[in-house]
C-alpha cells in the first residue's frame, strides 16, 4: 500500500485504494477532499523512506522532491483497516507538507542528508520493544514543555538532528532551542507509527511552542539510544 501511495504522488493520479469510503484526509492539520489535495499533483520524487507499524496497521513515509521549480519535503502517516476478506482499506491519510515558504526549507540540501543515513533492518535480538521506542520519542518531544528533562533523553554518541534541511551532525543537543521550563505549551495530539524492525518512530503532533503548527518527528532508536531526529514543521518562515 505504501508503494501505491508513492506512485499516486508521483503520477498525480489517486489510486482507488487510497480513497476508501469514509477515508479521512488531512493536509497540515486540515481535513480536505483527498481528490483535491496534494495527491492530485504529479511530483518528481527523488527520495522516499517508509517505516511500517505492523501492530497498528499503519505506515509513515517521508518524501523529498528536489525539483528546483516545485520542491517539497513531505511526511505522511497512513492508517489502514482490515476487511473480512483480508484486504486493507484506508482509514486515515495524514500529510504534513513543507515547501519554499516554510522555515528552514531547502529540499536539495535535505536530500543530501537523508540519502547518507543508515536505516537498515535490525536483527530481532537488537530490536527495542514498542514501549521503549515510544518512551524515547516522547522523552524528546516533552523537552519543549519541560527542558529540565533533557538529561533523561538517551542521546547516542554521534546523534544527528535534521530540522527541515538544517543538519546538526554528531550532536542532538547542540543548538537545541528549548524554552525555559514551564514557559511553553506541550506537543499535543500525538499520532504514532512504530517500526521495531528498524527502530523507527514517526510522530505527528501539534507543536505547542510554534503556535500548534503541524509537526512530524521521525526517530531512529537502536539499543535504547537515539541516533537520528528528523523534524518537519509546517510553520511559515
Amino acid at each position: 500500500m505504501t508503494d501505491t501511495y508513492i506512485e499516486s504522488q508521483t503520477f498525480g493520479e489517486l489510486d482507488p485504494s487510497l480513497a476508501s469510503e469514509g477515508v479521512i484526509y488531512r493536509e497540515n492539520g486540515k481535513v480536505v477532499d483527498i481528490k483535491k489535495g496534494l495527491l492530485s499533483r504529479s511530483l518528481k520524487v527523488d527520495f522516499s523512506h517508509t517505516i511500517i507499524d505492523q501492530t497498528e496497521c499503519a505506515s509513515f513515509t517521508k518524501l523529498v522532491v528536489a525539483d528546483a521549480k516545485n520542491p517539497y519535503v513531505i511526511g505522511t502517516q497512513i492508517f489502514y483497516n482490515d476487511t473480512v476478506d483480508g484486504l486493507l482499506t484506508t482509514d486515515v491519510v495524514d500529510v504534513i507538507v513543507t515547501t519554499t515558504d516554510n522555515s528552514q526549507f531547502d529540499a536539495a540540501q535535505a536530500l543530501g542528508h537523508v540519502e547518507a543515513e543508515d536505516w537498515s533492518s535490525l536483527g530481532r535480538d537488537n530490536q527495542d520493544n514498542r514501549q521503549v521506542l515510544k518512551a524515547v520519542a516522547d522523552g524528546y518531544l516533552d523537552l519543549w514543555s519541560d527542558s529540565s528533562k533533557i538529561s533523561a533523553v538517551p542521546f547516542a554518541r554521534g546523534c544527528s538532528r535534521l530540522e527541515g534541511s538544517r543538519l546538526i551532525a554528531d550532536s542532538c543537543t547542540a543548538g537545541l532551542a528549548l524554552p525555559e521550563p514551564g514557559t511553553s505549551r506541550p506537543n499535543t495530539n500525538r499520532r504514532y507509527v512504530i517500526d521495531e524492525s528498524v527502530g523507527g518512530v514517526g510522530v505527528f503532533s501539534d507543536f505547542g511552542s510554534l503556535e500548534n503548527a503541524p509537526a512530524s518527528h521521525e526517530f531512529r532508536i537502536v539499543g535504547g539510544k537515539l541516533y537520528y531526529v528528523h523534524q518537519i514543521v509546517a510553520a511559515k518562515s
Side-chain angles (χ1 to χ4, degrees), residues 11 64 70 81 92 99 101 107 117 123 142 147 157 173 199 207 226:
F11 295 105
V64 180
N70 199 28
N81 286 321
V92 177
T99 187
D101 61 348
E117 292 183 340
D142 288 344
S147 59
R157 179 175 295 180
T173 57
F207 209 138
L226 182 55

Side-chain angles (χ1 to χ4, degrees), residues 6 47-51 60-63 119 198 218 230:
I6 296 168
F47 173 88
S48 67
H49 158 74
T50 297
I51 60 175
F60 167 79
T61 299
K62 181 171 186 173
L63 303 179
W119 282 86
V198 295
E218 186 183 22
H230 289 184

Side-chain angles (χ1 to χ4, degrees), residues 143-192:
L143 292 177
W144 274 263
S145 53
D146 188 354
S147 59
S148 68
K149 296 180 179 179
I150 192 167
S151 62
V153 180
F155 294 107
R157 179 175 295 180
C159 178
S160 294
R161 190 173 85 250
L162 182 61
E163 296 181 346
S165 60
R166 184 172 73 101
L167 179 69
I168 300 88
D170 300 326
S171 174
C172 280
T173 57
L176 193 60
L178 297 175
E180 292 296 321
T183 63
S184 181
R185 292 174 292 174
N187 296 320
T188 58
N189 191 24
R190 298 180 191 180
R191 292 92 77 196
Y192 302 85

